[in-house]
Amino acid sequence: MSELRAAGPVSGPGPGPAAAPGPSAPAAGGSGGCSGPAPVPPLPSAVPGGVGPGGGPGGTGPGGVTATSGSGSSTSGSAREGWLFKWTNYIKGYQRRWFVLSNGLLSYYRSKAEMRHTCRGTINLATANITVEDSCNFIISNGGAQTYHLKASSEVERQRWVTALELAKAKAVKMLAESDESGDEESVSQTDKTELQNTLRTLSSKVEDLSTCNDLIAKHGTALQRSLSELETLKLPAESNEKIKQVNERATLFRITSNAMINACRDFLMLAQTHSKKWQKSLQYERDQRIRLEETLEQLAKQHNHLERAFRGATVLPASTPGRGGSAKDECCPGKGDLSDEDDENEFFDAPEIITMPESMGHKRTGSNISGASSDVSLDEQYKHQPEDTKKEKRTRIPNKPNYSLNLWSIMKNCIGKELSKIPMPVNFNEPLSMLQRLTEDLEYHELLDRAAKCESSLEQLCYVAAFTVSSYSTTVLRTSKPFNPLLGETFELDRLEENGYRSLCEQVSHHPPAAAHHAHSKHGWTLRQEIKITSKFRGKYLSIMPLGTIHCIFHSTGNHYTWKKVTTTVHNIIVGKLWIDQSGEIEIVNHKTGDKCNLKFVPYSYFSRDVARKVTGEVTDPSGKVHFLLLGTWDEKMDCFKVLPGSGENGAEGRQRVEEGSVLLWKRNPLPKNAENMYYFSELALTLNASESGTAPTDSRLRPDQRLMENGRWDEANAEKQRLEEKQRISRKKREAEAMKATEDGASYDPYKALWFERKKDPVTKEMAHVYRGGYWESKEKQDWSSCPDIF
């Protein structure tokens, strides 16, 4: 199946191919011939659809085609069009495509008829390199982003194309240089001309006013000096003559300064007039580039939408049940078995990859002692024997997600490079949970902390803390919708004290930048607290989500205090293709009491990597840096632990370390509920988070009206309600700003916004300023005294 992994579409649901140079296969039919098998081209840095090692069927030999007689090409002025053979991938080899050269752009289509509705790709020759391989083959590349390996039907035809391409490139480069340097105004819009002319007219008017003032100053200055000179001729006391002389000198200096100021203004006007056309040209070029990019991406989005509708009407292979086996991997990143962007009529599927271990290294574990005697009961089996919910029955489903057609590009095209938390987004792209509820989902595998609290060894305890850290990402693998941004002062409680032994409280403590504080306390001997600031930016092809802040976990019996930070989450295929999520980066978990550390590495997805997708590796070390445990797994499935034993060396020296046979299954993901694909891929815990519950604070996320309407499928009403809430929040913010300004003007002190249940203080361990739970929430809930809560809904 390695050949199938080599071909993946740019616009498919999985990640596209990365740059990977490769060797050329030797020609089977002599060198330079056009009628026999063509030599396989070297792997391009980014051929659409990707390529992999090995040959592929095509024509009469590996990777080649039999040339046809005549290409059917035609020329018209500087334009040219005709048939060429384009290398697609090692499964299909070269394929016949219709190429069009026009206005410095080389575009290709599957057929001539396709020119009316679908363009398969375009290269701008102004920045392209044209390389001739042999008598029939040539390569066009624009520096790595796009590379076309092309083959003409004959040497003459190849030369015609290369000549036309070189001429078109020279013309495009010349036009680009002229657009940067010349003062030609033909491509400048009338609006820009008018705007610039108005600006210059205003400047000229101001300079004329200054010139008039200068003339008046000169006129009156001369008259003043004449009067002063006349005064000097009068017979006045000596003191008066001295004063008149000083005034005369000052008047002269003032006139000189005024003239200098007028000259400087005139020079500025001349400079503005000289460079105005160049500035205007540069601005117009940038605007044209942006418009061209938007039009291209919009066209791609429309084509993808058309392909999706066509695909839904075709017969497809049945999808595997979500939450079982490797289905999550196949749902999110099936790029291992995809073809190129232009070969969408066939699909190939690989068996899901898993971490393979020798049979002697089965998953075994014992109570809290990882290195103890083996037991046949794995951790996931022990989860099944957890006590059932004795308080009340939790809901197991929510209303199905409406099947609405969404145009994400219409919203995102104006967000490139911006902080998304400041941009209003409709609920159409949300899931019916707030960010506070998503933060609470970190506790889905709280049993790992319960078990860690029972460990006698701090190193073994650190293994479970590391597994808990990884487990918090498992709920994100298929959750491509964004949560609601909480309103300032919004809270969310999760009281599972009777069922699971813990209580959790979240509060939105800042709006810009958005920040949420979280505190969870367990009667099983641990406390978890964190303040997370979410920053997210749309990069054009993908969305980066960077959580900032430190997570603290304290165990009561030993006083072990662990801290770590979250990794970066990336949402791919924002514009074209199926959305999929990846986690990448490193996490260092530190035990500040003992000095033990665990370094976790989240390996980013690579198209050509042989590793399992979403791989996570880790090492648990003591203060001296000696490795005691190795961790291996994936952030969406499970984590295993291997004990490292010291080796024996010569002369009593410590030799090479070795890994103890047998692994311990630290954590395994819970299966998704039935029909999860229709319920935003929520886990069993997530399904319960927004269920109505009595007695909560009036600021609780469960009471947020737009979120409730959205969960019930009433999206239009939810959008209207969301706008009302945001406007209400803006009014409150402006009121606070006005009060602060008034207090400043009056010289009085003004207290900035303070969170209700958390207080900002300096953390003694990390020395960072963070919001820490001040207490009082659960006492207020018991009394049902919510008088201090703001009205935010």
Side-chain angles (χ1 to χ4, degrees):
M1 304 296 283
S2 61
E3 292 83 357
L4 300 185
R5 295 192 188 101
V10 172
S11 60
S24 298
S31 61
C34 296
S35 60
V40 176
L43 297 188
S45 57
V47 176
V51 292
T60 61
V65 296
T66 302
T68 61
S69 59
S71 64
S73 62
S74 62
T75 58
S76 176
S78 61
R80 181 179 178 83
E81 58 183 31
W83 293 104
L84 287 172
F85 292 99
K86 178 182 177 293
W87 176 263
T88 56
N89 54 55
Y90 275 88
I91 296 177
K92 294 197 170 183
Y94 282 96
Q95 294 292 316
R96 196 165 178 252
R97 297 289 180 257
W98 183 260
F99 279 81
V100 175
L101 172 61
S102 178
N103 297 325
L105 301 175
L106 180 66
S107 306
Y108 76 94
Y109 310 84
R110 278 191 176 177
S111 64
K112 192 172 181 179
E114 198 180 54
M115 291 173 60
R116 292 175 296 180
H117 55 83
T118 303
C119 178
R120 298 289 169 175
T122 300
I123 280 187
N124 188 345
L125 295 178
T127 57
N129 295 319
I130 303 169
T131 307
V132 177
E133 280 195 313
D134 55 30
S135 58
C136 296
N137 293 57
F138 60 101
I139 301 173
I140 303 176
S141 174
N142 65 350
Q146 288 174 295
T147 302
Y148 293 167
H149 289 254
L150 305 176
K151 177 181 174 67
S153 58
S154 66
E155 185 174 358
V156 174
E157 187 65 19
R158 188 266 297 161
Q159 188 57 43
R160 288 174 179 168
W161 272 103
V162 171
T163 302
L165 290 168
E166 292 287 1
L167 290 173
K169 176 183 176 181
K171 186 175 181 180
V173 171
K174 183 179 179 181
M175 291 178 62
L176 183 62
E178 288 178 353
S179 68
D180 289 339
E181 299 174 3
S182 72
D184 182 21
E185 299 182 1
E186 292 179 357
S187 63
V188 181
S189 67
Q190 188 62 35
T191 303
D192 292 335
K193 286 182 182 179
T194 305
E195 182 180 350
L196 186 61
Q197 289 171 357
N198 289 338
T199 302
L200 290 174
R201 191 179 297 113
T202 303
L203 284 172
S204 299
S205 174
K206 297 300 181 183
V207 173
E208 288 177 2
D209 292 343
L210 289 172
S211 298
T212 303
C213 292
N214 182 56
D215 295 338
L216 291 173
I217 289 171
K219 178 180 178 181
H220 295 303
T222 302
L224 177 62
Q225 287 177 330
R226 187 183 306 113
S227 299
L228 292 173
S229 299
E230 292 174 355
L231 287 175
E232 289 179 356
T233 60
L234 298 177
K235 294 180 179 180
L236 297 173
E239 293 182 2
S240 300
N241 288 333
E242 189 66 27
K243 290 293 182 182
I244 292 172
K245 187 176 181 179
Q246 290 180 1
V247 172
N248 194 3
E249 290 175 353
R250 290 175 182 175
T252 303
L253 289 174
F254 176 74
R255 191 171 68 169
I256 293 172
T257 305
S258 301
N259 287 333
M261 180 186 68
I262 295 297
N263 291 333
C265 293
R266 187 176 288 108
D267 292 342
F268 170 75
L269 177 61
M270 293 178 62
L271 185 64
Q273 290 173 337
T274 302
H275 293 280
S276 62
K277 293 181 179 179
K278 185 176 180 180
W279 297 338
Q280 185 180 6
K281 206 58 172 163
S282 300
L283 176 62
Q284 185 63 26
Y285 176 75
E286 294 299 329
R287 287 178 175 174
D288 291 344
Q289 290 290 88
R290 178 182 175 183
I291 291 172
R292 190 176 296 113
L293 174 63
E294 289 183 357
E295 289 175 349
T296 302
L297 290 177
E298 189 170 9
Q299 183 184 15
L300 287 173
K302 289 178 179 178
Q303 291 175 13
H304 176 68
N305 192 29
H306 172 73
L307 290 173
E308 276 192 340
R309 290 199 301 269
F311 179 75
R312 284 196 292 267
T315 303
V316 297
L317 295 176
S320 56
T321 303
R324 297 181 57 187
S327 62
K329 297 183 190 312
D330 298 335
E331 288 274 355
C332 182
C333 291
K336 294 280 186 181
D338 292 333
L339 289 178
S340 69
D341 58 328
E342 57 182 38
D343 298 317
D344 54 2
E345 66 265 28
N346 294 320
E347 292 195 13
F348 295 85
F349 296 87
D350 267 347
E353 296 186 32
I354 59 173
I355 300 178
T356 56
M357 303 286 181
E359 292 184 2
S360 60
M361 299 176 71
H363 303 300
K364 300 178 182 178
R365 60 159 298 102
T366 67
S368 64
N369 187 353
I370 294 180
S371 60
S374 300
S375 170
D376 293 333
V377 182
S378 63
L379 192 61
D380 58 319
E381 291 173 341
Q382 294 180 19
Y383 287 164
K384 297 176 182 178
H385 296 89
Q386 294 294 329
E388 296 293 328
D389 182 3
T390 57
K391 186 176 181 180
K392 61 181 179 180
E393 188 175 339
K394 300 292 190 298
R395 70 176 183 180
T396 58
R397 66 172 296 104
I398 60 175
N400 286 351
K401 179 181 179 180
N403 187 22
Y404 291 160
S405 178
L406 305 177
N407 185 4
L408 182 60
W409 173 242
S410 63
I411 301 296
M412 301 298 288
K413 67 180 181 181
N414 296 320
C415 305
I416 297 178
K418 297 181 180 179
E419 169 56 52
L420 294 186
S421 63
K422 298 181 181 180
I423 300 172
M425 301 284 282
V427 303
N428 307 48
F429 308 114
N430 285 13
E431 62 179 18
L433 290 179
S434 76
M435 192 62 211
L436 303 180
Q437 291 163 317
R438 285 291 293 267
L439 202 58
T440 306
E441 282 190 71
D442 286 358
L443 297 172
E444 177 161 357
Y445 299 96
H446 62 89
E447 300 97 332
L448 293 170
L449 296 182
D450 296 345
R451 192 166 297 279
K454 299 177 182 177
C455 290
E456 297 179 0
S457 167
S458 62
L459 292 168
E460 294 174 3
Q461 186 179 72
L462 183 51
C463 292
Y464 283 104
V465 174
F468 173 79
T469 302
V470 175
S471 71
S472 63
Y473 296 97
S474 64
T475 60
T476 67
V477 64
L478 297 172
R479 302 269 288 278
T480 54
S481 299
K482 66 178 290 292
F484 279 78
N485 291 332
L487 302 173
L488 185 62
E490 186 175 333
T491 61
F492 179 73
E493 68 159 73
L494 187 64
D495 188 354
R496 297 290 173 87
L497 193 62
E498 295 184 16
E499 306 96 308
N500 306 116
Y502 71 87
R503 279 176 167 175
S504 167
L505 176 67
C506 291
E507 181 180 358
Q508 188 76 358
V509 295
S510 173
H511 185 59
H512 284 309
H518 179 208
H519 180 89
H521 182 87
S522 173
K523 65 182 181 182
H524 295 302
W526 54 265
T527 296
L528 184 77
R529 60 180 173 87
Q530 57 183 318
E531 180 182 349
I532 299 297
K533 300 179 180 67
I534 299 294
T535 61
S536 56
K537 286 191 176 181
F538 177 43
R539 308 292 187 179
K541 292 182 180 179
Y542 59 90
L543 173 67
S544 295
I545 302 170
M546 295 79 70
L548 306 176
T550 304
I551 305 172
H552 299 255
C553 184
I554 303 99
F555 292 95
H556 307 159
S557 60
T558 60
N560 288 336
H561 189 148
Y562 298 90
T563 63
W564 66 91
K565 297 179 182 292
K566 289 181 175 287
V567 295
T568 298
T569 300
T570 306
V571 184
H572 295 270
N573 289 350
I574 292 292
I575 301 303
V576 179
K578 185 175 181 180
L579 297 176
W580 62 279
I581 291 178
D582 196 20
Q583 314 285 351
S584 59
E586 294 189 13
I587 295 178
E588 184 181 59
I589 308 173
V590 180
N591 185 341
H592 293 274
K593 181 180 179 181
T594 64
D596 302 333
K597 293 183 180 180
C598 176
N599 185 267
L600 292 172
K601 182 177 181 181
F602 288 66
V603 181
Y605 183 86
S606 174
Y607 186 81
F608 292 104
S609 175
R610 295 180 179 273
D611 282 334
V612 62
R614 311 179 190 87
K615 181 179 178 181
V616 180
T617 60
E619 292 182 346
V620 176
T621 60
D622 60 20
S624 66
K626 180 181 177 182
V627 179
H628 290 264
F629 295 98
L630 296 178
L631 305 179
L632 178 63
T634 61
W635 54 263
D636 66 323
E637 287 290 344
K638 64 175 183 176
M639 286 297 294
D640 292 312
C641 176
F642 301 87
K643 185 174 178 60
V644 177
L645 302 177
S648 58
E650 297 180 359
N651 301 325
E654 185 177 359
R656 184 176 180 182
Q657 293 179 326
R658 57 190 178 89
V659 178
E660 182 184 62
E661 290 189 4
S663 64
V664 175
L665 177 63
L666 296 175
W667 160 76
K668 185 176 181 180
R669 186 191 66 172
N670 297 327
L672 289 174
K674 187 178 180 181
N675 296 322
E677 67 276 10
N678 299 322
M679 299 184 292
Y680 307 88
Y681 288 101
F682 280 0
S683 64
E684 290 184 358
L685 174 63
L687 289 174
T688 67
L689 294 180
N690 204 45
S692 299
E693 190 171 314
S694 61
T696 61
T699 55
D700 196 88
S701 299
R702 300 175 179 89
L703 303 175
R704 182 166 174 165
D706 55 346
Q707 187 171 304
R708 181 66 61 189
L709 289 167
M710 190 260 175
E711 180 184 280
N712 293 330
R714 297 158 65 181
W715 285 11
D716 291 339
E717 298 174 59
N719 275 316
E721 191 66 17
K722 182 173 182 289
Q723 291 180 5
R724 182 189 69 81
L725 293 176
E726 290 173 346
E727 181 61 28
K728 184 176 182 179
Q729 184 171 237
R730 279 191 289 270
I731 293 173
S732 298
R733 186 183 72 247
K734 290 178 180 178
K735 183 179 178 181
R736 287 194 301 271
E737 292 173 351
E739 291 174 353
M741 185 175 296
K742 186 176 185 303
T744 303
E745 292 174 353
D746 297 343
S749 60
Y750 176 78
D751 293 333
Y753 177 83
K754 292 182 180 180
L756 184 58
W757 308 110
F758 291 80
E759 60 180 338
R760 194 167 185 264
K761 59 172 63 175
K762 187 175 183 179
D763 188 272
V765 174
T766 62
K767 309 302 180 184
E768 298 173 344
M769 296 299 295
H771 283 84
V772 181
Y773 180 57
R774 72 167 80 228
Y777 179 86
W778 303 107
E779 292 77 6
S780 296
K781 182 181 180 181
E782 185 176 354
K783 300 175 184 177
Q784 283 298 294
D785 178 13
W786 304 116
S787 57
S788 58
C789 291
D791 175 21
I792 60 175
F793 297 145

